[in-house]
Amino acid sequence: MSDEYFKIAGGYVYDPRNGIDGQVRDLWIQGGKIVAPPSDPEVRATRVIDASGLVVMPGGIDMHCHIAGPKVNAARKMRPEEKRKAEPIRRTAITHSGTLGSVPSTFATGYKYAGLGYTTAFDAAVPPLAARHTHEEFDDTPCLDKGFYVLMGNNHYVMKAIKEQAPQKLDAFVAWLLGAAKGYACKLVNPGGVENWKQHASGNVHSLDEKVDHFDVTPRQIIRELARSVDQLRIPHAVHIHCNNLGLPGNWTTTHETMRALEGHRGHLTHIQFHSYGGGDVDEDTFSSKVAPLAEYINQNPNLTVDVVQVIFGETTSMTGDGPLGYYLHNVYGTKWFSADTEMESGCGIAPIKYRNKSLIHALQWAIGLEWYLMVQDPWRVVMSTDHPNGGSFLAYPQIIRLLMDRAYRQETLKEVHPAVLQRSQLADLDREYTLQEIAIITRAGPARILGLENKGHLGVGADADITIYTPHENKELMFELPRFVIKSGRILVEQGEICEVIQGKTLHVGPDYDREIETEISSWFEDNYSIRFRNYPVAESYLHDAEKIPVRKDL
Ligand SMILES: [Zn+2]
């Protein structure tokens, strides 16, 4: 590592974790990390960015997106019509060519995230059987540190261990599986429902207490036991939950029950907007927002965090580990549909969709997303997301920031959507405007804390030198869509929208300790059931080009 200093001088620094709220500060960087200013006043930085008048924040962290793995790749192949129309990414002396559309190609994904000031991203749903493929795609997704969440909510061994009431076995399996996949966190997707989808026609579960075919366990047990296990293992990130009944009118009661089913364990409820609906029986006339009671529950329970999935009007591609949901969306939109099951592990559904601002349902979804940002009191527990590409592209983040920071703009946009939203949501009455510091929390500092990433989301000594520098502008969408500089691991990757250096980025993963004796039992179960050999399943550390193992939590 170089011992030369790089200095970012005199910017307005927004570093919420360290209590710096727009004060003018210098940042010193050495060897890719933020360091203390050199004690010898004679020491000069080799490189200096004059940031006076500019806004300096940690690099953005997207904690829930879909950027790699088999379903993302299937979606790329499924949307040639989109790729044909989209602006091409042309190769340069240092960058590869690529394609855009709602599911950009790997290299384009890395460049576009970096161009937006994001330096870390997590794919939220990978079947562990596809871990190796996902790591290979990560190798082709530059400029970002990356990790993925491992699908476990319909895993056969998980359900078997829960049925046998063998918590120690479950803990060991969860730790083994994360280590084998080199994954980052435990993900639940429609726990139990996907397994039923795989077992019988139109199968699903509709409440937390329905039985899963052949396993004699319920979604409630899966949620509680995996949350307990993740806490027991002190995994950096809580269990990451895509609740049952996504998208259905009246599903807010399922979401509320899921929060209660955690019984005080940590839990992150993802794309919460899709799970906050009143009404019943597929009746458009009753569809409404139930953010208020759910946000109140979040406000009261510090063990819980959420990300939102803001819906963006326009065309996109829905992709989910929730097999029955893919089928449901295909029926709603009448579009093409892809479904795939992964043997002992999970399912998947993909369908193109279009959000229209004159549709009551879509306009309500849009309003419900904004209500979530505005009704959760503590910005450290709500995270910005579009569940890229499910609610829309990550490229819409600057637009969402403007909607949160600029009440007048929000009210204007509200006038353009279906008028019934005014009666069915409270959005028109919410006056709150986010500050720059709060934006820095919901896009950087908050996700870093929720993910247990000690060296990210802040600019204190020891942090990774992932930094975004913006030119202030009254129009926050313009400000955030074209950062002045984007710095990753102490290197300037982007200057005024132009990629000037490409680095590969690290793979972030976990490997909690477990009782190794369990491997004998897992291997015999594995050989009886899987289509591949047990010894070919784990991804070796040496397979990852540049990796960082994030230690377990000490604060649990
Ligand atoms: Zn997702």
Side-chain angles (χ1 to χ4, degrees):
M1 277 286 176
S2 154
D3 56 1
E4 293 179 351
Y5 283 104
F6 170 21
K7 181 179 165 187
I8 297 169
Y12 298 113
V13 172
Y14 290 84
D15 179 8
R17 188 176 121 179
N18 294 303
I20 301 170
D21 183 5
Q23 283 93 8
V24 172
R25 290 278 196 285
D26 293 341
L27 295 177
W28 289 80
I29 297 162
Q30 191 182 42
K33 296 272 185 185
I34 310 267
V35 294
S39 46
D40 179 353
E42 295 297 306
V43 171
R44 294 274 177 266
T46 322
R47 176 156 207 183
V48 179
I49 286 181
D50 176 7
S52 51
L54 304 178
V55 164
V56 179
M57 289 187 181
I61 298 174
D62 196 335
M63 72 173 285
H64 188 115
C65 57
H66 299 276
I67 55 172
K71 81 180 159 0
V72 178
N73 233 5
R76 287 179 180 126
K77 292 177 212 160
M78 200 173 158
R79 306 296 317 267
E81 71 284 3
E82 236 191 8
K83 299 207 172 272
R84 252 178 248 125
K85 281 185 293 183
E87 170 208 344
I89 304 281
R90 305 223 182 265
R91 64 178 290 200
T92 68
I94 56 165
T95 59
H96 289 257
S97 61
T99 57
L100 291 176
S102 56
V103 198
S105 57
T106 49
F107 287 99
T109 299
Y111 305 145
K112 286 291 174 183
Y113 261 112
L116 211 56
Y118 274 71
T119 49
T120 304
F122 286 87
D123 188 284
V126 169
L129 190 57
R132 193 175 303 274
H133 167 89
T134 306
H135 287 296
E136 284 166 1
E137 274 194 66
F138 275 175
D139 286 347
D140 285 348
T141 309
C143 304
L144 294 169
D145 287 348
K146 300 150 288 245
F148 63 77
Y149 308 154
V150 176
L151 290 164
M152 294 194 200
N154 295 277
N155 182 294
H156 288 195
Y157 193 97
V158 165
M159 291 189 288
K160 185 168 93 73
I162 293 170
K163 181 185 176 184
E164 290 169 9
Q165 299 186 346
Q168 280 144 349
K169 206 160 147 181
L170 179 64
D171 296 350
F173 180 77
V174 168
W176 170 79
L177 190 61
L178 282 168
K182 299 290 175 286
Y184 193 78
C186 165
K187 172 76 181 294
L188 306 189
V189 170
N190 186 3
V194 177
E195 179 56 26
N196 279 5
W197 164 256
K198 288 160 76 174
Q199 295 302 339
H200 65 262
S202 304
N204 202 345
V205 293
H206 298 287
S207 82
L208 292 199
D209 300 305
E210 241 170 88
K211 284 270 161 67
V212 182
D213 290 3
H214 312 300
F215 285 93
D216 197 31
V217 296
T218 64
R220 186 186 302 279
Q221 289 172 296
I222 298 171
I223 294 162
R224 186 192 59 220
E225 283 306 301
L226 280 173
R228 184 203 52 71
S229 190
V230 165
D231 274 359
Q232 174 70 27
L233 293 164
R234 296 184 291 138
I235 292 169
H237 182 38
V239 64
H240 194 103
I241 308 170
H242 157 151
C243 297
N244 305 95
N245 289 332
L246 185 151
L248 300 183
N251 67 5
W252 79 280
T253 54
T254 306
T255 310
H256 188 242
E257 270 304 297
T258 303
M259 294 175 183
R260 287 162 33 99
L262 289 165
E263 296 181 0
H265 291 293
R266 289 180 301 157
H268 180 86
L269 289 105
T270 190
H271 38 66
I272 189 79
Q273 179 275 121
F274 286 143
H275 302 274
S276 313
Y277 307 147
D281 296 340
V282 202
D283 177 1
E284 219 187 74
D285 291 335
T286 60
F287 193 75
S288 61
S289 168
K290 283 289 182 186
V291 178
L294 291 175
E296 184 52 27
Y297 194 87
I298 296 287
N299 288 336
Q300 305 287 335
N301 289 277
N303 57 314
L304 303 175
T305 55
V306 300
D307 65 77
V308 171
V309 71
Q310 181 62 39
V311 155
I312 305 298
F313 298 121
E315 229 180 276
T316 190
T317 307
S318 143
M319 56 175 72
T320 174
D322 192 339
L325 171 67
Y327 180 59
Y328 171 79
L329 292 171
H330 152 71
N331 281 324
V332 168
Y333 291 94
T335 48
K336 52 189 166 183
W337 168 51
F338 174 91
S339 182
D341 297 343
T342 304
E343 36 195 280
M344 321 304 291
E345 301 186 342
S346 59
C348 153
I350 306 170
I353 51 174
K354 186 171 182 180
Y355 295 109
R356 293 176 297 119
N357 65 351
K358 300 301 182 197
S359 144
L360 171 59
I361 303 282
H362 298 162
L364 257 170
Q365 291 181 309
W366 173 85
I368 288 169
L370 292 171
E371 282 186 357
W372 267 107
Y373 291 110
L374 300 168
M375 286 191 186
V376 172
Q377 285 157 3
D378 178 2
W380 288 92
R381 294 199 287 123
V382 57
V383 174
M384 180 172 295
S385 164
T386 58
D387 188 8
H388 164 81
N390 284 300
S393 169
F394 64 85
L395 293 167
Y397 287 158
Q399 184 191 334
I400 301 171
I401 291 173
R402 186 176 179 201
L403 285 164
L404 297 178
M405 293 191 73
D406 182 343
R407 178 163 39 108
Y409 173 65
R410 192 162 71 222
Q411 299 292 357
E412 280 308 306
T413 314
L414 184 54
K415 283 184 198 147
E416 291 163 17
V417 308
H418 194 291
V421 168
L422 291 173
Q423 286 85 53
R424 309 249 191 119
S425 105
Q426 297 182 43
L427 184 59
D429 305 323
L430 297 172
D431 286 340
R432 182 171 167 192
E433 286 183 328
Y434 269 62
T435 62
L436 275 178
Q437 185 77 332
E438 287 174 323
I439 294 296
I441 295 171
I442 66 170
T443 57
R444 290 126 156 103
R449 176 179 287 181
I450 292 167
L451 291 164
L453 290 170
E454 275 298 309
N455 300 331
K456 294 203 181 288
H458 75 103
L459 299 171
V461 170
D464 292 342
D466 299 349
I467 302 164
T468 309
I469 303 178
Y470 299 100
T471 310
H473 196 291
E474 187 126 345
N475 180 330
K476 300 301 182 235
E477 185 170 351
L478 295 179
M479 170 175 165
F480 279 91
E481 75 186 6
L482 189 64
R484 183 75 187 79
F485 294 99
V486 182
I487 294 154
K488 169 90 196 69
S489 307
R491 321 287 287 253
I492 301 176
L493 301 191
V494 183
E495 186 169 347
Q496 199 69 24
E498 293 293 320
I499 305 266
C500 38
E501 186 182 346
V502 174
I503 60 172
Q504 188 168 34
K506 286 179 290 193
T507 300
L508 306 172
H509 65 102
V510 298
D513 286 335
Y514 61 94
D515 177 4
R516 303 270 156 179
E517 275 177 30
I518 184 92
E519 285 184 15
T520 318
E521 198 208 299
I522 299 173
S523 89
S524 76
W525 171 81
F526 200 100
E527 299 290 0
D528 286 346
N529 292 288
Y530 266 86
S531 62
I532 72 165
R533 302 298 300 271
F534 178 70
R535 67 170 183 274
N536 293 334
Y537 187 76
V539 178
E541 187 106 36
S542 58
Y543 203 75
L544 312 177
H545 286 118
D546 185 8
E548 182 177 345
K549 187 156 123 180
I550 303 299
V552 296
R553 291 228 179 210
K554 294 183 199 78
D555 58 347
L556 288 177

